């Protein structure tokens, strides 16, 4: 996308997962979905998978969450998110890739880089790297051996 | 020997002492991790930072808790204590040493930077054979510092091995 000033920009959708700030290209978002039973089950499974990776303990208090439909490799991927997603055009100079060593060794292949915002960093996600629902269920039954902030 | 000769000889001795001071010197960043005093060569430390907010990145090795934003550059942060298998707390870090090695710029979490100093090369002694096994591959020398022994590390070798281990 090109802004009115002629600068190349990219539209990003930003939202939080358990308070953790993430974003992804708007082209990979299909918009918000209604909370049907099937969509909710898958959306919550993907949320649980991501929260497990983030070592975030899910709150039990009810929240007004949304289901965001993402463009996965094999079709739409529902994801339950904390809040209303925001759309923003971002200049390339505010985007950074993962440090090379992290890109090489991270087991979380859906992490692509960072968006430098005034509030801090946001992790850029690639929903085509999200696992299938079956994978998320399998992952939730096994314990992670990656980084834990103790 | 006349008094004059003696004075002239003393002056020669002073010249000699000046020459001794001119021997090769090594700049060092001396820091603490738990009870262990360690040092890195000054040319391997690009910057010393106060502890900054570390942005957690999922899926990384346990000794790589996340990244920092250093004036727009995103740097991986490494727990040096865990990397060296030292028994240290994780909530006592006060500094980040920005280090370059093995074609990677990263930050080492350390408890406290104690000194920036330059020492004559002759003060750097070969490490003792009794060095803990997990430290031995990375320690290039020992230095008597403030009535303690500081172990001088080779960050380049450490990061080279770390990188290979992660890729392997």
């Amino acid at each position: 996308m090109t802004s009115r000033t002629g600068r190349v920009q990219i539209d990003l959708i930003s939202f939080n997962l358990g308070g953790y700030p993430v974003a992804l290209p708007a082209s990979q978002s299909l918009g918000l979905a209604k909370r049907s039973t099937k969509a909710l089950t898958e959306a919550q499974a993907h949320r649980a998978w991501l929260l497990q990776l983030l070592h975030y303990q899910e709150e039990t208090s009810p929240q007004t969450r949304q289901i965001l439909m993402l463009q996965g490799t094999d079709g739409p991927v529902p994801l339950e998110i904390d809040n209303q997603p925001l759309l923003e055009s971002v200049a390339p100079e505010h985007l950074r890739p993962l440090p090379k060593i992290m890109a090489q060794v991270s087991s979380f292949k859906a992490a692509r880089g960072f968006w430098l915002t005034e509030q801090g960093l946001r992790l850029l996600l690639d929903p085509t790297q999200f696992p299938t629902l079956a994978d998320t269920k399998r992952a939730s039954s096994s314990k992670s051996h990656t980084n834990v902030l103790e | 020997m006349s008094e004059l000769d003696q004075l002239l000889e003393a002056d020669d001795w002073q010249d000699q002492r000046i020459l001794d001071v001119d021997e090769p010197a090594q700049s060092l960043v001396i820091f603490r991790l738990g009870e262990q005093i360690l040092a890195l060569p000054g040319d391997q430390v690009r910057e010393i930072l106060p502890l900054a907010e570390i942005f957690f990145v999922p899926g990384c090795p346990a000794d790589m808790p996340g990244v920092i934003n250093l004036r727009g550059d995103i740097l991986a942060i490494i727990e040096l204590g865990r990397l060296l298998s030292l028994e240290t707390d994780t909530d006592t870090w006060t500094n980040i040493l920005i280090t370059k090695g093995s074609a990677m710029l990263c930050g080492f979490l350390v408890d406290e930077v104690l000194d920036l100093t330059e020492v004559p090369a002759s003060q750097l002694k070969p490490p003792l054979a009794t060095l803990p096994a997990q430290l031995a591959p990375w320690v290039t020398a020992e230095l008597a510092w403030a009535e303690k022994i500081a172990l001088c590390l080779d960050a380049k070798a450490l990061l080279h091995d770390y990188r290979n281990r992660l890729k392997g």
Side-chain angles (χ1 to χ4, degrees):
Chain A
M1 176 186 167
T2 306
S3 70
R4 280 180 296 178
T5 56
R7 298 171 67 206
V8 175
Q9 295 193 312
I10 182 170
D11 286 344
L12 294 179
I13 299 273
S14 64
F15 53 90
N16 289 351
L17 283 165
Y20 186 87
V22 296
L24 46 82
S27 60
Q28 290 182 303
S29 164
L30 302 172
L32 293 173
K34 289 183 180 173
R35 294 174 75 87
S36 70
T37 307
K38 183 176 180 299
L40 188 61
T41 304
E42 283 193 43
Q44 288 179 338
H46 279 118
R47 178 184 178 84
W49 166 69
L50 284 164
L51 291 182
Q52 186 190 358
L53 282 164
L54 297 169
H55 306 292
Y56 180 81
Q57 197 68 37
E58 186 70 282
E59 290 176 15
T60 51
S61 57
Q63 289 188 5
T64 313
R65 293 183 185 143
Q66 307 282 335
I67 297 177
L68 184 63
M69 299 301 289
L70 308 175
Q71 185 63 61
T73 307
D74 300 322
V77 176
L79 174 65
E80 193 179 45
I81 62 176
D82 289 4
N83 54 339
Q84 190 76 19
L86 297 174
L87 173 67
E88 196 172 329
S89 291
V90 179
E93 58 262 32
H94 294 129
L95 305 178
R96 296 288 183 279
L98 282 179
K100 276 185 185 171
I101 187 71
M102 276 189 168
Q104 288 166 348
V105 304
S106 174
S107 61
F108 182 58
K109 297 304 177 193
R112 299 297 303 275
F114 303 94
W115 172 12
L116 280 59
T117 75
E118 287 181 4
Q119 291 76 38
L121 298 177
R122 273 188 183 272
L123 188 68
L124 293 172
L125 295 178
D126 176 4
T128 65
Q129 298 295 321
F130 280 17
T132 64
L133 186 58
D135 291 334
T136 60
K137 284 180 178 170
R138 215 169 21 244
S140 64
S141 63
S142 65
K143 202 170 173 107
S144 171
H145 292 285
T146 52
N147 54 2
V148 182
L149 286 181
E150 291 159 349
Chain B
M1 187 182 285
S2 71
E3 189 180 356
L4 179 61
D5 289 336
Q6 286 177 9
L7 287 171
L8 291 172
E9 193 170 283
D11 192 51
D12 278 350
W13 173 80
Q14 283 183 355
D15 282 348
Q16 186 61 46
R17 194 171 59 169
I18 290 167
L19 283 174
D20 284 344
V21 171
D22 279 347
E23 75 172 285
Q26 171 72 63
S27 63
L28 291 171
V29 177
I30 299 176
F31 59 96
R32 185 177 60 77
L33 259 176
E35 298 294 313
Q36 188 72 60
I37 308 296
L38 299 163
L40 282 173
D43 60 359
Q44 293 184 0
V45 178
R46 184 172 285 194
E47 202 166 338
I48 300 168
L49 303 176
L51 185 63
E53 185 182 354
I54 298 171
F55 186 81
F56 176 77
V57 179
C60 292
D63 45 24
M64 194 184 279
V67 296
I68 59 165
N69 177 3
L70 179 63
R71 298 183 293 274
D73 288 329
I74 303 297
L75 304 184
I77 295 298
I78 295 172
E79 287 186 35
L80 185 58
R82 202 190 277 251
L83 198 61
L84 296 171
S85 304
L86 294 174
E87 286 187 16
T88 57
D89 292 329
T90 57
D91 55 355
T92 53
W93 303 309
T94 62
N95 287 113
I96 298 174
L97 301 182
I98 304 301
T99 310
K100 185 163 190 187
S102 192
M104 98 191 230
L105 193 62
C106 67
F108 283 151
L109 287 167
V110 303
D111 283 353
E112 184 184 12
V113 171
L114 302 170
D115 199 4
L116 309 175
T117 187
E118 194 161 290
V119 298
S122 61
Q123 285 189 24
L124 297 171
K125 308 295 182 193
L128 293 177
T130 53
L131 208 60
Q134 78 272 18
L135 293 175
W138 326 119
V139 176
T140 55
E142 290 185 358
L143 169 75
W145 180 84
E147 299 179 356
K148 292 181 178 171
I149 296 294
L151 302 178
C152 302
L153 300 171
D154 181 351
K156 286 183 180 173
L158 187 62
L159 287 174
H160 181 74
D161 178 76
Y162 181 60
R163 197 183 184 107
N164 286 343
R165 200 152 27 100
L166 290 178
K167 282 182 183 174

